[in-house]
Amino acid sequence: MSATKLDPRLRFLQEQEHGEHAEAAVGMRLAAVKVTRRVVNVEVLLRCRKIRGTKTVKAVNDKLTDLGVAIRTLVDGPEIIAAGTVALDQMEEVLAEDWIEEMEASHRLFADLDLSGADVGVRPLQTVPPTVRGANVLVGIVDGGIAFHHDDFRLPDGTSRIRFLWDQAAAQAPGGPVPFGREYTKADLDAALRTQPPPVPVAHNDPLGHGTHVAGIAAGNGRTSNGRFMGMAPDTELVIVALRGDGASLGESSSAVAACRYIVDRAHDLGRPVAINLSQGMNAGGHSGETTLEVAMDNLARLPGIVLVKSAGNEQTWRIHAAGSVPQGATVRRQFDSSGMNLQQDVLEVWFDAADQIALAVQAPGAPVPQANDFVTPGNTNTFQTPANNRVRIDASSTDASGTGDVRAVIFLSRGAAARIQPGRWTIHCRGDQISHGDFHVWIERTGRDQGGAEQSRFTQPDNEPGCTISIPGTARRILTVGSYVTRPESGSPPAGELSRFSSHGPSRYGLRKPEIAAPGEWIASALSSASGDNPFQPGYTLMAGTSMAAPHVTGAAALLLEIDPQFTCDQVKQLLMRSARRDGAAAVAPDDSWGDGKLDVQRAVALARSVQFPAISNVTVNGTVISWQTDITSTGAVRFNTHRRRLALGRASGSRTSLTPGQQHSVDLQGLPAGAYHGEILAFSTSAEEWRTVDDNQGNHFALSVP
Amino acid sequence: MADASWQQKLDAYGRMELADGLPNTGVNVNVRVNGSGKDPAQQLTQAGLQVHYQVGDIFVGHITDEVALQSLASLPCVEEVQLSRPLYSEVPGESNRRKPS
């Protein structure tokens, strides 16, 4: 039991012969180890649960002193953190106390830098044998580009750690292996780094600096800073795709799909697992995983050895989501403010179940209230001009949008004959003509936010609904979506340990828990692209904030787990990370729709990965209303089902039946459900306390059952 | 055989683009296909889609004009055609970058 409480660095120290402790401590950068002829005293931090029925701080102080810990400081909080010195051979006795939850080696601090790596517990994995640093694993970065010459993306011999770089914006090389843009191989990059002028000109750079920063967090080796700003998985190799941006945006959905396919193909060629990072998103879609972008991501994430990680989005403070319920015969209104500025077009999407007949109308600022014939019913489109000469198009033609059985109505506002979209308060009217459920959601699409977001339209404060703001493709079912918390507060930030105010909240529109986890995203020191013009924080590094910075912490963590088992699937990595997540401080409210399952804890995740056994499902048969399957370990299971296959694919089951008997042979009978065709997927849960889960969805096709 | 409801397979962005006229440079699209017919990649290519990549039932590529768009959406194997949409980096804004003071 005490072994799980003990920092691996201390365990490693315990295993050393007398006389070797001091050298080992220096190698692991421990803060202070005092060695005498008989005793080895070590500086430690102890995390202590409060002792019931006592004056806690004093009680902890007294008990630790009795156990031989020389206390230097005690910090009271939800838990008590004690700093002090303890003899190496006294540690087991200390850890035997059930109210002591963890003993960590005090390590040298570097002027309070590099806080995020320490916070997620990755440093011991990188320094204590057997180290886990991402060897033989690829990290894929889909972003704006990379400063490939940065030392943190180079090996000690100066050659590149980047195996492939696809610059989608570059002029196409005739006969090249990519359908547009240009691919550079490691050999091209090595030559460019070694020779001036290079034999193959590599004109690529990263003027935004975003991709370089993201790559540094996931995989930078800290070579520029002697390890001070080392990323999560420093021994990985990289595959980079630089999307073609237009200044305001960072690529587009089709090029992101192409990028992920390309990375997976290159990983396959190299025979390596890969963790892919996407730190970009959009609001155009139903936020239920139904967009083609998300379906493509889910298709890739089904394969073993491929993990896709996505930033949750920074939409929380932008008031881009409204929701509500329309009663039969009533009209519900939602209002948003347009600043005008130079905005040429604004787009909103309204989604509701096609079982409902909700008619929509749009009222411009100062315009008369819409009349009955101004409303657009599902299946129809209307275009009209406002009194200020703006053009409004309401397209509610999609009554089974992307096969979801939902209505997708898109409202386009454009300047029309006017110079710009009219500033002021606009109103969306939702009239309930025929209502079964009545629920609806509305999102405002993003605009460029370079000028502090002045162009971004926002719902009024009362109409703003703070949930369901995860940016797409973060609402894809299989992708791992990451929220942000603070590890380095700056002016205006919440205190360290709290959720970033900008971090988007879940769930998906179909109620899937999103984000799955939170990681440090405010403020993070990582690799600086010299072409970006960003201010250096330290030579070669800069600070950035955003869920863009949180996601690559998880991407790097996923790469470490893939080193443990290259066959892990995205869903399995997701389970490992979620079940090992910390819930300290502000994250004590987890699991919820902002933190997911809590804060990333890589050390625990790796420990779990080393021992986990996921069930395997085999011999699935469907016979009438009965579905049967086998598992390879003693486990129990369930069948989830829906009459609508696409909804089930997106995580919206209409019901489930459970096989309660532990065993290797299972069956579930759907007899008794209303007559009709059903689609099902099987879940198997191990009988261990963790209930590790495997899902068999018939490779995305789902099992078909017919209930007479 | 052309599918009469081909416009229903476009998303609202595609229909909007069609109403305003496709740009001269064409548009990038994401296409979801079903299992009908053989070799969907070949069918899509013959309809005028420059296929860039396939990920399961999703194809991404480029279409140059309205005729090709109609041919593509009319294929029985095509379930839907979504216009490629811009993505945005997820930093809260330029204020959350460190620029030289």
Side-chain angles (χ1 to χ4, degrees):
Chain A
M1 184 65 181
S2 64
T4 60
K5 298 179 178 181
L6 188 62
D7 184 333
R9 290 169 300 182
L10 294 175
R11 203 179 312 130
F12 181 68
L13 208 59
Q14 282 180 329
E15 291 163 0
Q16 302 307 300
E17 298 291 330
H18 200 76
E20 295 176 350
H21 293 104
E23 189 180 348
V26 169
M28 292 188 289
R29 301 182 177 187
L30 300 191
V33 174
K34 190 174 180 183
V35 182
T36 67
R37 282 181 65 188
R38 298 188 176 196
V39 181
V40 179
N41 285 308
V42 186
E43 288 271 348
V44 296
L45 295 168
L46 289 155
R47 189 158 60 85
C48 310
R49 203 170 60 238
K50 290 191 170 176
I51 305 169
R52 194 173 294 171
T54 61
K55 289 183 179 178
T56 53
V57 174
K58 183 174 184 312
V60 166
N61 184 68
D62 292 349
K63 283 182 174 292
L64 286 175
T65 304
D66 289 347
L67 288 165
V69 181
I71 300 291
R72 195 156 37 83
T73 314
L74 280 169
V75 180
D76 195 11
E79 298 165 313
I80 295 172
I81 305 298
T85 306
V86 64
L88 204 56
D89 58 9
Q90 189 67 20
M91 285 179 181
E92 292 303 326
E93 193 177 331
V94 174
L95 290 169
E97 296 290 324
D98 64 352
W99 48 274
I100 294 180
E101 299 199 322
E102 192 172 3
M103 182 187 290
E104 183 183 311
S106 179
H107 48 97
R108 281 184 258 171
L109 297 177
F110 299 99
D112 78 356
L113 305 178
D114 192 21
L115 301 177
S116 66
D119 194 84
V120 301
V122 77
R123 296 296 175 239
L125 296 171
Q126 295 170 334
T127 54
V128 182
T131 57
V132 183
R133 297 162 57 98
N136 299 314
V137 179
L138 295 172
V139 164
I141 304 290
V142 180
D143 214 288
I146 191 165
F148 70 91
H149 44 73
H150 195 292
D151 270 352
D152 283 16
F153 307 120
R154 295 164 76 170
L155 296 165
D157 64 4
T159 59
S160 183
R161 296 173 55 215
I162 301 169
R163 294 298 296 258
F164 295 99
L165 163 60
W166 178 15
D167 185 342
Q168 294 189 344
Q172 187 165 17
V178 285
F180 56 95
R182 177 159 190 169
E183 180 188 70
Y184 300 105
T185 64
K186 173 175 160 56
D188 297 332
L189 299 172
D190 285 345
L193 291 168
R194 189 176 58 235
T195 316
Q196 289 299 331
V200 177
V202 180
H204 178 79
N205 62 25
D206 179 17
L208 295 175
H210 186 268
T212 300
H213 200 268
V214 164
I217 295 167
N221 62 14
R223 193 164 165 254
T224 310
S225 57
N226 290 322
R228 193 167 168 180
F229 296 112
M230 187 186 292
M232 297 290 293
D235 286 357
T236 51
E237 292 187 299
L238 294 113
V239 180
I240 306 290
V241 180
L243 302 172
R244 180 168 40 199
D246 66 359
S249 65
L250 184 59
E252 55 183 72
S253 57
S254 66
S255 53
V257 172
C260 291
R261 173 84 260 178
Y262 166 84
I263 291 171
V264 168
D265 288 350
R266 291 293 177 268
H268 180 76
D269 293 344
L270 295 168
R272 303 272 189 87
V274 63
I276 301 173
N277 188 86
L278 295 117
S279 285
Q280 59 278 146
M282 62 180 184
N283 292 329
H287 294 72
S288 52
E290 84 295 331
T291 63
T292 45
L293 170 62
E294 291 167 303
V295 173
M297 298 296 144
D298 275 350
N299 286 344
L300 287 173
R302 183 177 279 109
L303 307 169
I306 295 165
V307 177
L308 285 107
V309 180
K310 161 77 177 72
S311 45
N314 306 323
E315 303 304 291
Q316 203 52 33
T317 54
W318 290 98
R319 305 203 309 261
I320 50 84
H321 176 234
S325 189
V326 190
Q328 173 86 35
T331 298
V332 171
R333 296 165 191 84
R334 293 291 178 267
Q335 294 189 306
F336 65 95
D337 293 321
S338 172
S339 68
M341 299 297 289
N342 293 315
L343 195 58
Q344 304 293 299
Q345 188 178 73
D346 218 353
V347 180
L348 297 92
E349 295 211 8
V350 187
W351 285 72
F352 51 91
D353 195 304
D356 294 322
Q357 285 282 316
I358 297 176
L360 301 169
V362 172
Q363 181 185 4
V369 174
Q371 300 300 299
N373 60 358
D374 293 326
F375 281 79
V376 179
T377 53
N380 295 298
T381 299
N382 184 35
T383 303
F384 64 95
Q385 190 166 291
T386 69
N389 292 324
N390 290 149
R391 190 175 71 149
V392 178
R393 176 183 169 98
I394 305 172
D395 183 336
S397 307
S398 299
T399 53
D400 181 18
S402 299
T404 56
D406 297 327
V407 175
R408 177 193 202 183
V410 181
I411 299 169
F412 298 92
L413 309 182
S414 53
R415 67 182 179 87
R420 58 177 180 162
I421 291 176
Q422 185 183 1
R425 186 152 294 178
W426 293 69
T427 307
I428 301 169
H429 298 253
C430 307
R431 189 184 70 201
D433 292 349
Q434 191 68 45
I435 297 299
S436 297
H437 313 290
D439 296 340
F440 70 92
H441 292 261
V442 194
W443 289 272
I444 306 174
E445 174 57 310
R446 279 192 58 165
T447 56
R449 291 175 181 164
D450 285 355
Q451 297 159 25
E455 288 188 347
Q456 180 70 55
S457 296
R458 307 169 200 217
F459 285 107
T460 58
Q461 194 64 53
D463 286 349
N464 175 52
E465 161 55 47
C468 241
T469 58
I470 301 291
S471 67
I472 293 166
T475 44
R477 183 178 180 182
R478 286 191 173 77
I479 207 166
L480 222 166
T481 306
V482 185
S484 166
Y485 67 90
V486 183
T487 46
R488 180 189 174 85
E490 292 281 299
S491 174
S493 298
E498 292 197 5
L499 194 76
S500 299
R501 292 192 187 96
F502 52 72
S503 188
S504 289
H505 291 193
S508 80
R509 187 169 57 91
Y510 281 173
L512 277 184
R513 165 72 48 74
K514 292 281 179 177
E516 280 86 2
I517 200 165
E522 186 177 6
W523 288 76
I524 306 300
S526 181
L528 166 69
S529 168
S530 55
S532 68
D534 285 335
N535 203 24
F537 169 66
Q538 292 287 316
Y541 299 92
T542 191
L543 292 174
M544 288 191 194
T547 54
S548 276
M549 282 66 243
H553 282 91
V554 173
T555 304
L560 302 185
L561 297 180
L562 289 171
E563 180 183 335
I564 304 292
D565 186 343
Q567 293 296 305
F568 279 148
T569 64
C570 196
D571 185 58
Q572 290 170 339
V573 167
K574 190 184 282 194
Q575 290 179 61
L576 289 164
L577 293 174
M578 291 171 77
R579 290 172 190 206
S580 58
R582 281 164 37 217
R583 294 177 184 171
D584 55 12
V589 297
D592 70 357
D593 294 327
S594 55
W595 287 96
D597 271 40
K599 297 175 179 174
L600 175 66
D601 188 329
V602 194
Q603 208 172 342
R604 289 187 193 180
V606 165
L608 274 179
R610 285 179 163 139
S611 62
V612 68
Q613 189 178 9
F614 289 99
I617 299 172
S618 60
N619 297 331
V620 180
T621 58
V622 177
N623 189 2
T625 58
V626 178
I627 185 165
S628 307
W629 69 97
Q630 283 185 317
T631 53
D632 63 336
I633 58 175
T634 305
S635 61
T636 189
V639 171
R640 276 197 302 226
F641 52 84
N642 197 317
T643 54
H644 204 297
R645 189 166 74 82
R646 289 283 291 158
R647 284 186 178 174
L648 185 60
L650 303 174
R652 188 181 194 178
S654 61
S656 65
R657 292 277 175 90
T658 306
S659 173
L660 295 173
T661 309
Q664 295 189 333
Q665 185 66 46
H666 300 262
S667 66
V668 166
D669 192 346
L670 298 192
Q671 186 71 41
L673 291 173
Y678 287 83
H679 307 278
E681 63 184 12
I682 301 162
L683 292 78
F685 299 100
S686 65
T687 48
S688 63
E690 295 86 3
E691 289 199 329
W692 300 108
R693 176 192 67 229
T694 296
V695 181
D696 186 343
D697 65 357
N698 195 20
Q699 299 187 338
N701 297 315
H702 296 88
F703 299 100
L705 296 92
S706 180
V707 177
Chain B
M1 190 174 71
D3 182 347
S5 61
W6 68 272
Q7 289 203 22
Q8 283 301 303
K9 295 184 186 177
L10 305 182
D11 65 0
Y13 300 94
R15 285 191 290 268
M16 174 81 167
E17 200 75 55
L18 205 60
D20 288 351
L22 256 56
N24 292 335
T25 52
V27 290
N28 289 331
V29 293
N30 301 348
V31 182
R32 186 163 63 88
V33 300
N34 56 37
S36 70
K38 289 182 179 175
D39 197 351
Q42 188 180 26
Q43 292 185 57
L44 301 183
T45 303
Q46 285 175 350
L49 179 71
Q50 297 166 24
V51 175
H52 292 156
Y53 280 101
Q54 177 187 1
V55 183
D57 57 352
I58 306 295
F59 287 79
V60 295
H62 187 78
I63 205 105
T64 52
D65 55 40
E66 283 92 344
V67 175
L69 185 59
Q70 178 173 350
S71 300
L72 177 71
S74 299
L75 290 172
C77 71
V78 169
E79 285 284 312
E80 63 175 321
V81 180
Q82 291 185 350
L83 213 62
S84 188
R85 295 286 302 162
L87 300 169
Y88 298 89
S89 66
E90 307 213 282
V91 291
E94 281 299 291
S95 59
N96 278 46
R97 301 282 296 273
R98 288 304 174 87
K99 294 290 182 186
S101 52

